[in-house]
Amino acid sequence: MQQEPRSVDTTSDEEAMAELAGRLQTIEALPLDQRAAAFGAVHDELRLALEGTGERTGETDDSPGGR
């Protein structure tokens, strides 16, 4: 069961934290193989949001510390 990445919207920090906590709690209840994939998806989503790259793929990050 792979979850679709969610789009970043304008929620308050408290709403975002509550949503993330709920998602993580749901993920933790999954079987181990599904849990790993779901945590990977959350990681990728958060990385994209922090880097501000959105859904662009195939682009390299030339910033210091970029991959």
Side-chain angles (χ1 to χ4, degrees):
M1 177 176 141
Q2 189 170 355
Q3 297 179 356
E4 292 294 320
R6 297 179 187 198
S7 63
V8 177
D9 58 11
T10 55
T11 59
S12 73
D13 288 344
E14 289 145 359
E15 290 171 329
M17 289 296 293
E19 180 181 341
L20 179 59
R23 286 180 66 193
L24 295 177
Q25 191 172 27
T26 300
I27 291 170
E28 289 173 356
L30 296 172
L32 187 57
D33 60 332
Q34 293 176 7
R35 191 179 326 159
F39 276 128
V42 170
H43 170 268
D44 291 343
E45 180 183 329
L46 292 173
R47 180 182 50 80
L48 289 173
L50 290 171
E51 290 176 352
T53 58
E55 291 295 319
R56 296 180 294 183
T57 58
E59 295 182 14
T60 58
D61 182 355
D62 294 330
S63 65
R67 294 183 178 201

